Amino acid sequence: TEGKGIDPGGCRVEEQDCELLQTIYRELGEPDGVVGAIRIGPSGRTRTELELQGKWSDMQASYEEVASTDRRRSALCGLVDCTQAMRRFESSLQLISGIRQEMPDLAEQLRPRSVEAAWQLSSWDRLTEALQAQDQIDTKDFQVQLGDILLQLHERNEVKLQQRLQETTVEVAHAASLAAQDSYTRAYQHLLRLHLLSDLHWLTQKQQEPGIAQNLLTRCDMSRPSFGARQALLGPLKVALQDMNLRDEAKAVELAFSRLCRKHGEPVAMEHPDTSFQGTS
């Protein structure tokens, strides 16, 4: 039977249906399904294919092309994702600020990105501003929870810090348990989050001990994660070490991550890095 979304000549799914399939498989945590949807979709490289290949500049150009069409909302959100994937966090915050003025209803959707960009830059005033909407914190978005944890660390609020760490760990562990019933792939992102939360808790207890950075990097190496996973683990740890005035330890983590970026052909430089890294070779 000929389906409505199928191109009879090439037996390909139309673009809109292809994107729907990709969204479904991505939410199910099935990367192979995403790839399969791309292969039966329209000819030519799609944005999802570019994303899988890490071609963020090409993706950005693609979003910019459709930003003036009726798909402007999704294109602007895509541009935010691209700027953050390329570690252009200052540009991301400026872009989000402009989007909030043009489309205020997107503010809540983009708040986790605002939080992430703010803590990546150690911009604590802007992080506080991004976290002020209590209703967003109640949605239990992990990026928002992580930003709240780092803010409590910055403010040296030990009681709230440990409380946030414990609450978030319990919630992520519960989510991991549910996801593991379906597949390891779905549970993997939650396991990474538990790894990070464990490292942050360990760091708050062992900050006076020598060799902190080496211990953290060894734990990361033992897990053998992908580049994206290592970035998710090392980014918050570097910021935490930096804020705790453990400059040498923070530099060791940052340099290890820079070497990883060069190995995988990823952008190394981050806009407005901490001044303590100036002169470091």
Side-chain angles (χ1 to χ4, degrees), residues 5-42:
I6 303 294
D7 172 16
C11 294
R12 290 185 173 274
V13 176
E14 293 179 356
E15 182 176 2
Q16 184 175 359
D17 297 318
C18 179
E19 291 180 355
L20 176 60
L21 284 173
Q22 293 171 37
T23 300
I24 293 172
Y25 282 120
R26 190 181 294 109
E27 291 178 353
L28 289 174
E30 297 291 346
D32 290 340
V34 176
V35 174
I38 292 173
R39 289 177 177 173
I40 64 172

Side-chain angles (χ1 to χ4, degrees), residues 242-269:
Q242 197 172 283
D243 190 66
M244 296 165 71
N245 294 319
L246 300 173
R247 302 293 185 181
D248 291 339
E249 307 289 348
K251 289 176 184 177
V253 172
E254 177 69 10
L255 290 173
F257 180 66
S258 296
R259 288 193 292 269
L260 185 69
C261 287
R262 287 192 290 269
K263 178 180 178 181
H264 290 270
E266 298 287 341
V268 176

